[in-house]
Amino acid sequence: MEKAYRRSRVLYIIEATLEYLISIFFATELLPELTSYLGISDGTTGVISAIISLGCVFQLISILFRQGRAKGLVLALSIANQLIFMLLYVIPLLGLGGQTKIILFIVGILLAYFLYYLAHPKKINWFMSLIDDGQRGKFTSKKEIISLICGMAFSFAMSAILTHFNKKGEIEISFVIFAITIFVLMVSHSLTMIFSCEKEQPERKDKQGIGEILATFKNKGVILVAIVFVLWYIATNSTKPFLGTYMIDLGLEKWFKIGFLPAISAVARIIASIILGIYADKKSFSKMVSICFGIASLSFLVIVFCTPTFGTANGYIMFSLHYILYGIAMGGINSSLINLCYDYAPVEKRVGALAVTQAVSGVIGFLTTLAFSPLVDKIQENGNKIFGMEIHAQQAVAVVGVVFSCLATLYVLIFLVKKKKV
């Protein structure tokens, strides 16, 4: 049986990579190109992206499913959501009216993410149960590194295809290629799950249904982890959504913003993932994530000192530092949510713990961005001045990022590092 588990762990890495490649079509500049072609405004595209980030709330529904074998359900939901993703690139080619296409696209992308988040907690619990607790840090870092490397190459390739056919005035051909690519990735992704084995889950004796959701919210371990990520989501969602426009204000070149910064961040994240994964297995995920939050606070602090007053060079230097530091931090933060849930929630509540923590922090993150948007507009309308001093809106919100990253660091050190794991 151990041989089957080993094979399944390898397939899990491949599965995660293929899933990540599909997500690139809807999490990069490829999505705005598609929505722009359909006639969807930039504002509406932003709203769609924000609503998608709330999809994690759908994960709460997964708690209502009976505990047991997840393979069949996860496979069916994954095929369904990926087929819809593929069809989103077919919609522009249909002989339908403009408004009809837009309605189909919006409904389609929301339905696809609904199905994705419905399956996500059960899929994670299925595959993570195949990994020894003492190897989770090393394994998740390896999985993330492979996904990032493949994702960088894949993103460049898809962007090159889009650019090539866009210049020729035949952008529809790139949509056909993207749809075919998603279909091939979907088939490959499905095969990785079909040939993966599944451990028998322990029989449930506690509350199920709505009662289980309420019980999960009351679990101390789940609450401890949820607070960590609420603090983190406030830190990042108060700052990151507004940095793209700041780079425009600073006059940074497109090659720097779209190509160079994501590349150096990915390289930093890959190197950090290796080191942090080993550290987490030897020490603990709580100690590891406290270090990551500390590094994240430095990445936001860099933006506080990024200003046009010191010239364009200041923008290039400060944003390079920010992306490197943020990449290092995300090398541990990205995998820590799953692993902290596994450390501090009982085995039978892990699916619920993951769903609740992501749902709560996702909603808080979304509301944080909405809350800070008027503040950013107000500061800009005031000529980027606060109390008579020249301070840009992004510098101000970066201070909030620093504060909440530090609070997250202190919280982890006080309440998680010293708390005994389950």
Side-chain angles (χ1 to χ4, degrees):
M1 200 63 188
E2 182 54 38
K3 185 177 180 180
Y5 290 158
R6 272 201 308 272
R7 184 191 71 240
S8 297
R9 287 192 286 269
V10 173
L11 288 172
Y12 180 27
I13 292 174
I14 299 172
E15 179 274 334
T17 301
L18 293 171
E19 187 175 79
Y20 178 65
L21 296 184
I22 292 174
S23 75
I24 286 174
F25 287 102
F26 304 95
T28 63
E29 72 276 5
L30 297 179
L31 177 61
E33 290 288 346
L34 178 57
T35 56
S36 176
Y37 182 87
L38 288 169
I40 300 174
S41 68
D42 291 347
T44 304
T45 299
V47 172
I48 291 171
S49 299
I51 293 174
I52 288 171
S53 71
L54 285 175
C56 51
V57 176
F58 301 144
Q59 293 183 111
L60 291 176
I61 301 174
S62 67
I63 303 176
L64 302 179
F65 292 129
R66 288 184 61 188
Q67 185 79 1
R69 293 200 172 273
K71 185 173 179 176
L73 177 64
V74 171
L75 178 61
L77 290 173
S78 295
I79 291 174
N81 81 65
Q82 289 167 8
L83 275 174
I84 296 172
F85 280 142
M86 180 195 74
L87 292 174
L88 292 177
Y89 276 95
V90 176
I91 289 174
L93 312 176
L94 301 176
L96 302 172
Q99 287 300 314
T100 304
K101 288 181 180 179
I102 290 174
I103 292 170
L104 279 176
F105 178 83
I106 294 174
V107 171
I109 197 167
L110 293 178
L111 178 59
Y113 274 101
F114 170 75
L115 296 174
Y116 169 79
Y117 283 112
L118 206 60
H120 186 65
K122 285 196 172 291
K123 188 199 77 174
I124 294 296
N125 193 55
W126 161 20
F127 280 113
M128 290 298 287
S129 67
L130 303 174
I131 303 160
D132 294 335
D133 285 349
Q135 294 293 314
R136 281 192 278 116
K138 185 178 179 181
F139 181 87
T140 50
S141 66
K142 184 193 299 182
K143 176 169 66 72
E144 182 168 313
I145 288 166
I146 292 173
S147 292
L148 284 170
I149 292 173
C150 294
M152 280 195 298
F154 186 79
S155 184
F156 275 117
M158 295 301 106
S159 296
I161 290 171
L162 180 69
T163 302
H164 173 73
F165 286 106
N166 193 30
K167 285 181 178 179
K168 293 177 67 176
E170 300 173 341
I171 194 172
E172 296 86 356
I173 296 178
S174 66
F175 293 157
V176 173
I177 294 173
F178 293 165
I180 294 172
T181 303
I182 293 173
F183 181 78
V184 173
L185 291 171
M186 180 202 73
V187 173
S188 304
H189 180 263
S190 300
L191 289 173
T192 61
M193 291 194 286
I194 289 171
F195 290 106
S196 295
C197 66
E198 183 180 10
K199 273 188 177 180
E200 190 73 43
Q201 296 298 314
E203 185 179 350
R204 297 298 304 272
K205 296 180 180 179
D206 57 341
K207 297 179 181 179
Q208 296 191 49
I210 299 297
E212 182 178 357
I213 295 179
L214 297 175
T216 303
F217 272 106
K218 294 177 182 178
N219 182 272
K220 291 183 179 180
V222 176
I223 292 173
L224 282 171
V225 175
I227 292 174
V228 173
F229 285 92
V230 164
L231 292 171
W232 168 243
Y233 272 56
I234 292 174
T236 188
N237 282 279
S238 64
T239 307
K240 292 295 283 184
F242 307 107
L243 296 186
T245 54
Y246 196 37
M247 286 190 275
I248 296 174
D249 296 339
L250 291 167
L252 306 185
E253 296 287 344
K254 286 186 178 180
W255 66 266
F256 180 78
K257 296 182 293 184
I258 299 173
F260 180 74
L261 289 179
I264 61 170
S265 182
V267 170
R269 184 168 167 176
I270 288 169
I271 296 171
S273 293
I274 299 171
I275 299 170
L276 291 169
I278 295 171
Y279 178 84
D281 286 334
K282 287 184 177 179
K283 301 295 182 178
S284 70
F285 282 98
S286 55
K287 288 183 179 179
M288 180 267 282
V289 81
S290 68
I291 294 172
C292 293
F293 286 147
I295 296 172
S297 68
L298 292 176
S299 77
F300 293 130
L301 184 62
V302 166
I303 300 300
V304 175
F305 295 100
C306 182
T307 172
T309 305
F310 299 131
T312 305
N314 175 262
Y316 283 107
I317 294 170
M318 292 304 183
F319 265 96
S320 295
L321 284 174
H322 168 74
Y323 268 77
I324 291 171
L325 290 169
Y326 193 79
I328 293 171
M330 291 306 295
I333 293 172
N334 196 53
S335 65
S336 60
L337 175 57
I338 296 171
N339 286 299
L340 284 176
C341 285
Y342 271 61
D343 278 348
Y344 293 93
V347 174
E348 70 277 5
K349 291 189 179 294
R350 285 175 172 176
V351 172
L354 185 60
V356 166
T357 51
Q358 290 192 326
V360 171
S361 54
V363 170
I364 295 296
F366 175 72
L367 294 176
T368 298
T369 301
L370 289 184
F372 278 91
S373 292
L375 174 63
V376 170
D377 291 339
K378 186 69 176 177
I379 294 173
Q380 290 176 337
E381 289 170 5
N382 198 40
N384 287 308
K385 289 185 178 180
I386 301 176
F387 303 121
M389 297 183 292
E390 184 178 343
I391 299 175
H392 285 253
Q394 289 83 352
Q395 292 175 280
V397 293
V399 173
V400 180
V402 173
V403 170
F404 277 90
S405 294
C406 289
L407 287 175
T409 305
L410 291 173
Y411 177 87
V412 172
L413 290 173
I414 295 170
F415 294 101
L416 292 188
V417 171
K418 295 181 179 181
K419 184 183 184 299
K420 186 179 180 181
K421 295 188 290 184
V422 294

